[in-house]
């Protein structure tokens, strides 16, 4: 097929080869990174019901403050971190954040007081703020709309896997490592997490790409291919299976002020910010399962293990929803139907149904419904709001900042650790 100066032929085989390389490097880092972050974040709740509460003499409200302070640090660095990422090399910046996270996780294993936990949690929030919005932004720089949904789903289910593994690993630590070298089982959990995070930082520094125009392990031809793939302003499918892309790309970079103005004028931005903040607020209802189980009379090991089936089902639902969304080429219905399931679960939780088995099923409905649409929501926003690099980075950071604002007050107002039925009325509020 003859080429002209405006359209360039993309060989499907070369494109598949590039995608395989990206999946081995970028997608694996994103999946493992999200899993480790979820594991680390779940560990505070697992540690709290596994001896940390008694050893550090923590009260329920002090535990809630640990979550609030973490989100305070997260909120402060959210937008600045993503703006930095859009101007720096991701292969250096993101692994650097991982190493900082590793050091702070080790510090959690050594902490001796509630105030020490407070201090470390603020720093952890500052360090983690750049990862999730940053990796979402980077995925959007490399994968097209028809490829992004399922990969976001893979990344999201790894987050669910991290949440599920937290209870299992903590139960194993309590059974096998409690008292080894005079160290409590919950402290061994943080040591384990720090070790995994260090390996992930090494992997990211070695294999993570930067941007399509400056990744060192791509040759000139592969860089051109990567950039043309993302220029979908004039995309056409050829009858032979190839894809033509318009090669004229507006490479003019906007400054921060112009990006903010463009974002404020975007009609979709406000809907996504509200939707994402509401989704993350409602997810709080599913994340207190372990504490509810412990307050209902289950021992620490059982309470930790009860969180695993819940998160495994959320994983399966998340990956299935991602594939359906890409296959059916729809985002709306893949958000609408899971939301109905979550609404049913929240309705049951607001009634605090008994026996506990029925309450447990309500937790599963809520978590599966909400968790399975998180990747769809973020993918939808990433491909709808803007394809301009700086605007998209700012939009993703703004959405996550809105969610952080919810978690700045909701642990104290909606999810305080007080009594056996402490969340009954809070579920009704969220519902």
């Amino acid at each position: 097929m003859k080429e002209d100066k405006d359209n360039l032929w993309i060989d499907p085989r070369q494109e598949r080869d590039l995608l395989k390389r990206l999946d081995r490097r970028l997608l694996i880092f994103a999946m493992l990174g999200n899993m480790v972050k979820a594991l680390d974040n779940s560990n505070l709740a697992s540690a709290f019901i596994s001896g940390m509460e008694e050893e550090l003499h923590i009260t329920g409200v002090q535990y809630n403050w640990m979550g609030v302070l973490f989100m305070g640090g997260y909120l402060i660095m959210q937008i600045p971190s993503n703006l930095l990422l859009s101007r720096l090399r991701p292969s250096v910046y993101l692994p650097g954040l991982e190493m900082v996270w590793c050091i702070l996780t080790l510090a959690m294993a050594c902490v001796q007081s509630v105030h020490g936990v407070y201090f470390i949690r603020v720093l952890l929030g500052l360090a983690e703020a750049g990862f999730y919005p940053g990796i979402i932004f980077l995925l959007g720089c490399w994968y097209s709309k028809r490829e992004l949904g399922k990969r976001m789903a893979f990344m999201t289910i790894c987050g669910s896997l991290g949440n599920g593994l937290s209870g299992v690993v903590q139960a194993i630590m309590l059974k096998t490592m409690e008292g080894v070298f005079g160290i409590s089982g919950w402290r061994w959990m943080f040591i384990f997490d720090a070790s995994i995070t260090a390996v992930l930082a090494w992997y990211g520094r070695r294999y993570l790409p930067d941007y399509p125009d400056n990744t060192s392990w791509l040759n000139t031809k592969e860089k051109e291919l990567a950039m043309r793939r993302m220029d979908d302003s004039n995309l056409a499918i050829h009858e032979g299976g190839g894809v033509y892309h318009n090669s004229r790309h507006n490479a003019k970079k906007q400054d921060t002020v112009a990006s903010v103005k463009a974002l404020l004028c975007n009609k979709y931005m406000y809907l996504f910010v509200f939707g994402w903040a509401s989704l993350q607020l409602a997810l709080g209802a599913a994340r207190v399962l372990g504490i509810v189980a412990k307050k209902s009379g289950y021992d620490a090991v059982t309470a930790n293990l009860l969180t695993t089936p819940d998160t495994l089902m959320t994983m399966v639902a998340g990956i299935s929803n991602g594939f359906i969304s890409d296959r059916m080429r729809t985002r709306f219905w893949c958000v609408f139907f899971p939301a109905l399931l979550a609404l049913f679960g929240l309705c049951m939780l607001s009634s605090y149904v008994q026996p506990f088995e029925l309450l447990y099923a309500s937790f599963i409905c809520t978590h599966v419904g909400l968790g399975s649409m998180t990747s769809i929501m973020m993918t939808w926003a990433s491909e709808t709001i803007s394809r301009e690099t700086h605007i998209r980075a700012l939009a993703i950071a703004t959405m996550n900042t809105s969610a952080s604002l919810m978690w700045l007050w909701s642990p104290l107002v909606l999810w305080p650790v007080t009594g056996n039925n402490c969340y009954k009325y809070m579920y009704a509020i969220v519902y």
Side-chain angles (χ1 to χ4, degrees):
M1 180 66 70
K2 184 178 178 180
E3 299 179 357
D4 61 37
K5 63 181 180 181
D6 292 324
N7 293 310
L8 295 172
W9 173 262
I10 289 182
D11 184 350
R13 182 177 298 176
Q14 292 179 353
E15 189 172 30
R16 284 195 298 270
D17 290 342
L18 177 63
L19 280 174
K20 289 178 181 179
R21 294 184 71 186
L22 287 173
D23 288 343
R24 288 195 300 266
R25 292 170 175 264
L26 174 56
L27 183 60
I28 287 180
F29 178 83
M31 291 167 61
L32 294 178
N34 204 37
M35 184 185 72
V36 171
K37 288 294 170 290
L39 183 64
D40 288 347
N41 286 329
S42 300
N43 281 348
L44 184 64
S46 297
F48 181 74
I49 62 177
S50 303
M52 185 182 189
E53 178 182 12
E54 294 80 8
E55 190 170 331
L56 299 184
H57 308 291
I58 301 171
T59 65
V61 176
Q62 287 176 331
Y63 168 79
N64 293 121
W65 271 108
M66 293 173 189
V68 170
L69 291 170
F70 173 86
M71 278 301 166
Y74 193 93
L75 180 63
I76 291 170
M77 274 300 291
Q78 183 89 155
I79 293 178
S81 184
N82 237 32
L83 290 176
L84 281 172
L85 180 64
S86 68
R87 291 165 170 80
L88 300 176
R89 291 178 58 196
S91 63
V92 176
Y93 186 67
L94 292 176
L97 291 179
E98 293 294 323
M99 280 308 302
V100 174
W101 184 273
C102 170
I103 294 168
L104 293 172
T105 304
L106 276 177
M108 279 293 294
C110 304
V111 71
Q112 299 297 323
S113 68
V114 172
H115 292 94
V117 176
Y118 286 166
F119 179 70
I120 295 171
R121 292 291 291 176
V122 172
L123 297 180
L124 281 168
L126 293 170
E128 193 197 339
F131 179 80
Y132 185 78
I135 204 66
I136 296 296
F137 166 70
L138 191 59
L139 287 170
C141 291
W142 286 96
Y143 292 108
S144 67
K145 291 182 180 181
R146 69 182 187 276
E147 301 157 352
L148 193 57
K150 63 177 70 71
R151 286 168 174 83
M152 288 283 289
F154 275 122
M155 193 186 81
T156 300
I157 65 165
C158 283
S160 298
L161 178 61
N163 288 323
L165 285 176
S166 178
V168 174
V169 175
Q170 186 67 75
I172 292 173
M173 293 298 173
L174 287 172
K175 287 290 188 180
T176 62
M177 299 298 291
E178 178 70 34
V180 175
F181 300 119
I183 301 174
S184 304
W186 65 267
R187 295 183 186 274
W188 277 112
M189 183 64 176
F190 287 111
I191 295 173
F192 174 79
D193 290 347
S195 303
I196 298 176
T197 306
V199 173
L200 182 64
W202 169 84
Y203 182 90
R205 184 66 189 92
R206 185 176 178 86
Y207 295 108
L208 196 65
D210 292 310
Y211 297 109
D213 63 335
N214 67 349
T215 296
S216 60
W217 44 264
L218 293 179
N219 60 39
T220 302
K221 188 175 181 180
E222 289 170 330
K223 290 176 183 178
E224 291 175 353
L225 171 61
M227 288 186 285
R228 289 204 309 272
R229 272 173 29 84
M230 299 310 296
D231 184 8
D232 59 358
S233 57
N234 187 23
L235 183 148
I237 304 297
H238 183 260
E239 58 188 7
V243 182
Y244 282 105
H245 291 265
N246 190 320
S247 63
R248 291 180 179 176
H249 182 71
N250 181 15
K252 182 177 67 175
K253 293 185 177 179
Q254 298 180 332
D255 60 27
T256 302
V257 175
S259 298
V260 171
K261 288 181 178 179
L263 189 63
L264 291 175
C265 295
N266 190 296
K267 61 182 180 180
Y268 300 110
M269 181 62 195
Y270 300 96
L271 291 174
F272 280 114
V273 167
F274 177 78
W276 187 250
S278 301
L279 174 60
Q280 296 303 315
L281 179 63
L283 270 170
R287 289 171 178 164
V288 294
L289 172 58
I291 294 175
V292 171
K294 180 72 179 293
K295 297 294 182 180
S296 298
Y298 290 92
D299 59 71
V301 173
T302 304
N304 277 302
L305 291 176
L306 280 172
T307 62
T308 301
D310 168 51
T311 51
L312 290 177
M313 289 185 213
T314 303
M315 280 176 53
V316 174
I319 190 62
S320 300
N321 203 27
F323 273 96
I324 291 171
S325 178
D326 277 0
R327 183 66 180 268
M328 304 301 293
R329 297 185 180 275
T330 179
R331 307 299 185 204
F332 174 79
W333 295 111
C334 290
V335 170
F336 179 77
F337 287 115
L340 288 182
L341 178 63
L343 192 63
F344 171 76
L346 284 169
C347 179
M348 299 291 285
L349 288 174
S350 66
S351 302
Y352 215 78
V353 291
Q354 293 296 321
F356 182 80
E357 289 77 10
L358 190 56
L359 186 69
Y360 185 66
S362 302
F363 271 108
I364 291 175
C365 288
T366 302
H367 200 186
V368 167
L370 296 172
S372 63
M373 65 180 179
T374 53
S375 65
I376 307 300
M377 180 80 78
M378 187 57 77
T379 302
W380 199 4
S382 182
E383 64 190 18
T384 301
I385 293 174
S386 178
R387 294 303 299 177
E388 290 289 341
T389 301
H390 290 78
I391 296 176
R392 188 159 48 85
L394 191 59
I396 293 171
T398 302
M399 288 175 63
N400 277 278
T401 299
S402 69
S404 301
L405 284 170
M406 298 298 102
W407 280 97
L408 203 58
W409 59 269
S410 61
L412 295 172
V413 177
L414 297 180
W415 319 116
V417 181
T418 52
N420 291 343
N421 297 328
C422 54
Y423 301 131
K424 178 178 180 179
Y425 301 107
M426 304 312 166
Y427 291 127
I429 293 172
V430 174
Y431 170 74

